[in-house]
Amino acid sequence: MTGNELRERFLKFFASKGHTIVHSSSLVPANDPTLLFTNAGMVQFKDVFLGLDRRPFTRATTAQKCVRAGGKHNDLDTVGRTARHHTFFEMLGNFSFGDYFKREAITYAWEFLTRVLELPPERLWVTVYQDDDEAYQLWQEIAGIPAERIVRMGEKDNFWAMGDTGPCGPCSEIIYDRGPEHACSSTPCALGACDCDRWLEIWNLVFMQYERDSNGNLSPLPRPSIDTGMGLERVASVLQGVDSNFDTDLLAPLIKAVEKITGRTYDPGEAGFPFRVIADHARSCTFLIADGVLPGNEGRSYVLRRILRRAARFGKALGIDEPFLYRLVDTVVAIMGGAYPEVVEQQEYIARVIEQEEVRFHETLNDGLKVLNSILDRARQEGREVVSGLEAFTLYDTYGFPLDLTEEIAGEGGFKVDRNGFEKAMAAQRERARAAREDAKAYDFALAFAGALEDISGTAFTGYDQLEDKGTVLALFQEGARVTSLEANATGYVVLDRTPCYPEGGGQVGDRGELKWPGGQARVEDTRRLPDGKIVHQINVTAGTLVAGQEVGITVDRERRQATARNHTVTHLLHRALKNILGEHVNQAGSLVTPERLRFDFTHFAPLTGEELRAVEAEVNQKILANLPVTTLETSYQEAKAMGATALFGEKYGERVRVVKIDAYSMELCGGTHLGSTSEAGSFRLVSESGIGAGVRRVEGVTGAAALEMALQDRQELATIAGLLKVPPAQATQRVRHLLEQNKENERELAQLRNELASYTIDRLLDRVQEVAGVPVLPARVQITDPEALREMAERLRSRLGSGVVVLGSQHDGRVNFVAMVSKDLVQRGIHAGNLLREVARIASGGGGGRADMAQAGGKDPGKLDQALAYSLKVVAAQVR
């Protein structure tokens, strides 16, 4: 059975049992900053299990794409070394949200494995939680598994929890016995006693039946649920009778593609490790980019960059010295495109992103080499023989420079690398990443309200059509607790049954405004939406007391809302203009809409030229002047897509969606607030354009009064510049060009004078050459502080000598720099510049070294510079043969 057939049979089986087939969610978890990636099938239903969200079904089944490569799953080094460890994998799962429980879950699992897949029942073992007598009995009753094939395990292995607090429960793992031929040397080789390849976990059934509080106490959930996960690749390996996931039809074609590119034959043993890494990483890169992740230096983007560059490094290990990983995208799509159409739709774009990052990686390796050389230069000047862990980590983190390569090159120059310091810097970065994720408070905000709001209905948003309304206070919160009232000067949160205040979402900030009631009022400082649709207002009571059940008048800050709407409508115009001018590959990759400005991130592979920026700005302003009508309609998601509406990355859409249409020019799915016509935006000015990651650009702009203010500032700035230049504003550009040309001419003259001065200095220095054992030696103090210029001077002197040794020294900021050059004929006679300088620098309390023909060093005692240079004559005499 192929992997694709297995996936389809699983979904159809559970559909026949009343489960709704739900398409795999994005690898980027929606509205959950606590996770880097979707790492299990239950992630897209996490809010349902937590009581934050409801679905129109109580049974679901999925084939979920997952990535585990970051955070606590940061174990990339094991990928390819084991038969079943991956960064990207698929998790098959069935879920019950308060519907069926243990009996049905066990029944379905046993029926699917033994009847649909026809696995031999005698090969199947199970584990249960040590105290779960119910599951222990059910496996015997339903599946007829003898008690000796049911193993009780402790909390570490068989008790699952969503976090330190919240839903949790015992679990039961189904294990496939691959046979005694796969047994390890443990005595005995038994399930629970060892962890070898004989015992293959294929399915985990989680019985979510408890709620754990902050004290660790467990209380039964009123509606127990089921969450299961079965690894597609693992089960495919069993059905296809192969020893490794990499030998299944889900991964083997990728290994064959690598064989074709390299001209080498794959070895399933240790020698095949690079092939397996590349095959795994090609899948991860393809799917992460398809879901909007792009290579970068932070968070998910950083993990993708690490995966991609790791694959490129293993390509080099197989003799590939050019970009190649992008060529594997076609193979990934051929294997998996039927189940995941998003990779088919973006196939060309994904390949371009990967190729661009590969090219960049090859370039950064060269850049890293330059930085490493400068680090070694500095170490010589400082008289140390160790590259610090922080320096090595900077090379690794910023330039993708592998530690082993740093150690190899440093070793050639006589240096060691502080590995312990490197590991400490790596650990510190992981800690920063963990702290950053923990600092994402949006999810905690939702959780704080979830349990306390179960008794109230949702909030009706009325703000599309009006900026004033009346509503009833359903709940009040202060300092994390539900309260019955908020008094004057108190800050807290209020939930109303209806509100015109727009809650933050879709890149648009939340509304501010005012609440009023008889004898009191409050400022609305922010508005947010919980995952289940309830809207929470952050307020500060300025007068009176607000009590639960009170009817209040709500007024939105009209000017702020209108300014925000200007910027939001213009982001839609901007999106379409960018597509028209740069190409249809442009897609939104993020946005921020505030009253003051707009920020728009989009996919594109190069900086925008001045001409492109002017064209984009001109097209947006043209559409503003055209006074195009802005209309909205509500429809189903599928109908909106059929109409051609653009769905934006990172947004979580329900069955009903809102479509914002700007005449025939633009049509997008959007829940934000907008203008009635484009002319209300006034005008648009682009403020900046920059790159924020591989293949992602960012533009920022302003509209309305802010655009006018920017134009006035530009005019004033031009007038100031013209005044300084003493010309009319219209002639300022011409005058600046003239001054720049004049400056270039001055620089050319200065360079010529410097060259003449250097030649004069060289002539004077050559008069001081001394002969030692028949060898011309020039030791000299010079007034050059730049190490590069010092090297250049030494090179010119050696060239003029033809045959000889040059040793130059200079002092700057209380330190000494040395450089030595030896002609080739004298290298053959035993003179070694690196060894020479190591001895010379020691006189000035320093150290260093280098090649036989060129070396650099540093010293800490400028007072010994002349003594050190004089000593070079003795060292040369001792070396020459």
Side-chain angles (χ1 to χ4, degrees):
M1 187 184 298
T2 68
N4 287 327
E5 288 170 343
L6 170 58
R7 185 192 303 111
E8 188 176 352
R9 287 202 191 183
F10 181 89
L11 295 174
K12 284 184 176 179
F13 172 79
F14 279 99
S16 74
K17 303 297 183 183
H19 292 65
T20 298
I21 297 176
V22 180
H23 188 68
S24 171
S25 66
S26 169
L27 286 169
V28 178
N31 304 320
D32 188 352
T34 66
L35 289 175
L36 268 179
F37 301 111
T38 298
N39 56 21
M42 60 76 60
V43 169
Q44 70 164 306
F45 304 117
K46 185 175 175 181
D47 286 348
V48 181
F49 287 125
L50 287 170
L52 295 172
D53 192 11
R54 293 186 183 276
R55 300 291 176 91
F57 46 78
T58 57
R59 299 181 175 199
T61 184
T62 65
Q64 175 66 51
K65 53 192 178 185
C66 301
V67 162
R68 291 183 181 175
K72 67 177 182 180
H73 300 293
N74 197 13
D75 47 2
L76 278 176
D77 290 342
T78 62
V79 174
R81 297 196 184 279
T82 70
R84 311 184 204 288
H85 197 97
H86 302 292
T87 54
F88 174 90
F89 61 96
E90 289 182 81
M91 188 74 84
L92 305 174
N94 59 287
F95 306 88
S96 164
F97 310 117
D99 187 338
Y100 63 82
F101 200 45
K102 291 183 187 179
R103 175 175 291 277
E104 293 85 350
I106 291 171
T107 300
Y108 295 151
W110 188 252
E111 181 180 346
F112 181 73
L113 291 175
T114 60
R115 297 186 185 176
V116 178
L117 300 188
E118 299 180 349
L119 292 181
E122 65 274 11
R123 287 285 192 100
L124 298 174
W125 292 56
V126 295
T127 66
V128 297
Y129 180 53
Q130 58 192 11
D131 297 333
D132 193 353
D133 295 332
E134 182 185 5
Y136 186 83
Q137 295 299 328
L138 285 171
W139 277 114
Q140 296 178 70
E141 174 191 333
I142 294 167
I145 295 182
E148 60 267 22
R149 293 217 313 270
I150 304 174
V151 180
R152 293 181 185 263
M153 306 278 273
E155 183 169 346
K156 179 175 178 281
D157 296 297
N158 277 65
F159 196 91
W160 182 90
M162 192 175 291
D164 293 335
T165 61
C168 57
C171 59
S172 182
E173 296 175 340
I174 304 174
I175 311 295
Y176 183 77
D177 179 4
R178 298 178 67 227
E181 64 273 22
H182 296 280
C184 64
S185 58
S186 297
T187 306
C189 176
L191 180 60
C194 67
D195 187 22
C196 70
D197 276 350
R198 174 176 180 175
W199 311 102
L200 179 62
E201 178 203 335
I202 57 175
W203 206 342
N204 188 15
L205 314 181
V206 177
F207 310 129
M208 215 176 295
Q209 63 187 99
Y210 299 113
E211 175 84 18
R212 177 180 278 154
D213 64 21
S214 57
N215 295 319
N217 299 317
L218 300 178
S219 55
L221 287 171
R223 299 170 68 235
S225 298
I226 291 293
D227 158 27
T228 83
M230 178 165 68
L232 175 69
E233 292 84 1
R234 290 190 176 201
V235 181
S237 74
V238 171
L239 295 173
Q240 294 173 19
V242 295
D243 290 338
S244 165
N245 292 359
F246 292 94
D247 296 325
T248 68
D249 68 321
L250 294 166
L251 283 151
L254 283 161
I255 289 177
K256 288 189 178 300
V258 178
E259 285 184 315
K260 187 175 181 181
I261 292 171
T262 62
R264 299 191 183 191
T265 302
Y266 170 64
D267 179 344
E270 180 63 27
F273 173 56
F275 288 84
R276 294 189 289 273
V277 170
I278 292 167
D280 171 272
H281 290 7
R283 297 206 305 173
S284 295
C285 293
T286 298
F287 277 90
L288 284 169
I289 294 167
D291 281 347
V293 182
L294 291 161
N297 291 328
E298 293 182 359
R300 300 180 181 102
S301 297
Y302 178 73
V303 175
L304 171 59
R305 172 163 282 171
R306 279 197 67 199
I307 293 172
L308 199 156
R309 291 186 171 188
R310 188 168 186 263
R313 276 177 50 212
F314 278 103
K316 289 180 76 69
L318 292 176
I320 312 173
D321 285 320
E322 61 184 12
F324 75 96
L325 193 65
Y326 74 97
R327 294 164 60 184
L328 298 179
V329 173
D330 291 351
T331 308
V332 175
V333 171
I335 298 168
M336 309 185 73
Y340 300 100
E342 59 267 32
V343 297
V344 180
E345 294 167 4
Q346 301 181 72
Q347 184 171 350
E348 183 180 348
Y349 168 70
I350 295 166
R352 286 188 68 188
V353 171
I354 292 175
E355 183 182 17
Q356 185 180 68
E357 180 65 14
E358 286 188 275
V359 170
R360 180 170 176 164
F361 179 51
H362 282 277
E363 291 172 351
T364 55
L365 276 178
N366 293 330
D367 292 341
L369 189 57
K370 293 176 185 175
V371 173
L372 176 53
N373 284 331
S374 70
I375 289 171
L376 298 180
D377 285 345
R378 186 166 61 249
R380 291 187 188 99
Q381 293 164 26
E382 294 172 0
R384 56 187 170 93
E385 298 179 354
V386 176
V387 174
S388 74
L390 184 59
E391 288 171 325
F393 179 75
T394 301
L395 279 165
Y396 168 79
D397 191 44
T398 305
Y399 298 96
F401 217 69
L403 177 62
D404 53 358
L405 191 56
T406 299
E407 289 179 319
E408 181 181 334
I409 295 171
E412 291 173 359
F415 291 89
K416 294 181 179 179
V417 177
D418 178 8
R419 260 189 174 263
N420 290 335
F422 177 88
E423 294 299 335
K424 286 180 182 178
M426 178 71 83
Q429 188 208 54
R430 288 174 183 154
E431 180 62 25
R432 287 193 299 271
R434 184 191 65 79
R437 288 195 298 277
E438 289 180 352
D439 205 33
K441 301 298 184 186
Y443 204 74
D444 294 341
F445 178 84
L447 288 175
F449 290 96
L453 293 177
E454 288 182 337
D455 61 320
I456 66 175
S457 57
T459 308
F461 175 64
T462 61
Y464 289 133
D465 305 312
Q466 58 196 64
L467 297 181
E468 295 185 14
D469 203 350
K470 290 186 177 181
T472 301
V473 175
L474 300 179
L476 294 166
F477 288 85
Q478 188 175 32
E479 296 179 354
R482 191 164 172 176
V483 295
T484 57
S485 64
L486 289 174
E487 298 182 352
N489 299 319
T491 297
Y493 298 91
V494 59
V495 180
L496 306 171
D497 64 338
R498 55 192 292 115
T499 180
C501 291
Y502 178 81
E504 179 180 337
Q508 179 176 329
V509 297
D511 274 338
R512 294 177 185 169
E514 190 175 54
L515 303 183
K516 284 189 175 182
W517 63 95
Q521 62 183 34
R523 288 194 311 273
V524 177
E525 297 176 339
D526 195 9
T527 311
R528 305 188 205 177
R529 187 191 301 274
L530 301 181
D532 62 0
K534 298 183 183 76
I535 295 175
V536 178
H537 307 75
Q538 180 181 339
I539 64 169
N540 180 263
V541 180
T542 55
T545 301
L546 182 60
V547 297
Q550 174 75 55
E551 184 179 68
V552 297
I554 314 115
T555 304
V556 176
D557 183 329
R558 185 179 299 270
E559 187 175 329
R560 189 173 184 274
R561 164 72 80 83
Q562 186 69 3
T564 305
R566 286 191 196 99
N567 286 330
H568 204 155
T569 297
V570 168
T571 60
H572 287 220
L573 295 176
L574 180 59
H575 192 183
R576 186 66 257 172
L578 286 165
K579 281 179 173 286
N580 288 348
I581 289 159
L582 302 179
E584 285 297 323
H585 66 278
V586 167
N587 284 303
Q588 180 173 332
S591 70
L592 174 66
V593 179
T594 73
E596 296 79 23
R597 64 190 177 100
L598 64 91
R599 188 182 74 205
F600 191 80
D601 301 339
F602 59 97
T603 53
H604 187 57
F605 295 93
L608 274 66
T609 64
E611 184 179 346
E612 287 169 337
L613 288 169
R614 287 189 293 273
V616 168
E617 189 178 76
E619 182 165 325
V620 171
N621 280 306
Q622 182 187 19
K623 299 307 174 185
I624 290 173
L625 289 171
N627 193 27
L628 301 178
V630 182
T631 57
T632 61
L633 64 97
E634 278 198 11
T635 184
S636 71
Y637 179 76
Q638 293 303 325
E639 286 174 354
K641 290 290 286 180
M643 291 164 55
T646 301
L648 305 182
F649 164 72
E651 287 299 303
K652 187 177 178 181
Y653 298 105
E655 275 306 305
R656 302 292 295 176
V657 294
R658 184 167 179 263
V659 179
V660 175
K661 187 178 180 186
I662 304 177
D663 200 41
Y665 183 69
S666 165
M667 183 163 52
E668 295 186 9
L669 303 187
C670 180
T673 62
H674 287 272
L675 305 171
S677 68
T678 58
S679 62
E680 295 175 44
S683 64
F684 169 66
R685 287 287 302 270
L686 274 173
V687 176
S688 66
E689 189 271 347
S690 61
I692 59 169
V696 182
R697 308 300 299 176
R698 169 174 289 174
V699 291
E700 298 190 53
V702 292
T703 62
L708 177 60
E709 178 62 26
M710 185 177 174
L712 293 173
Q713 288 176 0
D714 287 350
R715 187 167 70 179
Q716 181 58 47
E717 187 71 19
L718 177 59
T720 301
I721 292 170
L724 292 171
L725 296 171
K726 296 182 172 57
V727 296
Q731 296 176 19
T733 301
Q734 182 180 351
R735 178 62 177 154
V736 169
R737 285 198 183 113
H738 174 71
L739 290 173
L740 289 173
E741 281 299 322
Q742 200 172 49
N743 189 55
K744 282 182 183 177
E745 183 60 34
N746 291 339
E747 286 178 350
R748 281 193 290 268
E749 289 181 10
L750 182 58
Q752 184 176 348
L753 289 171
R754 281 176 176 162
N755 191 49
E756 291 174 0
L757 179 60
S759 297
Y760 172 72
T761 303
I762 288 171
D763 288 339
R764 286 180 56 225
L765 289 173
L766 288 171
D767 292 337
R768 294 157 60 182
V769 173
Q770 301 179 51
E771 191 169 300
V772 177
V775 173
V777 182
L778 173 58
R781 173 199 282 259
V782 293
Q783 301 300 317
I784 298 176
T785 58
D786 178 53
E788 185 66 35
L790 192 64
R791 267 201 308 266
E792 185 180 332
M793 173 70 78
E795 179 63 47
R796 292 178 67 176
L797 285 165
R798 180 175 63 178
S799 179
R800 289 282 297 275
L801 278 174
S803 173
V805 177
V806 177
V807 183
L808 300 183
S810 68
Q811 69 177 78
H812 180 64
D813 286 342
R815 302 197 60 81
V816 178
N817 291 333
F818 292 103
V819 66
M821 295 278 182
V822 180
S823 59
K824 288 183 180 180
D825 62 314
L826 294 177
V827 170
Q828 294 173 358
R829 291 184 60 187
I831 302 177
H832 190 289
N835 297 338
L836 166 64
L837 269 199
R838 192 172 289 114
E839 296 293 322
V840 169
R842 191 174 290 121
I843 300 296
S845 302
R851 302 193 309 264
D853 62 331
M854 192 280 287
Q856 287 180 274
K860 301 174 184 176
D861 188 352
K864 298 287 182 65
L865 173 56
D866 292 328
Q867 182 182 339
L869 289 169
Y871 185 65
S872 67
L873 298 170
K874 292 183 180 181
V875 179
V876 170
Q879 285 188 349
V880 70
R881 62 174 184 266

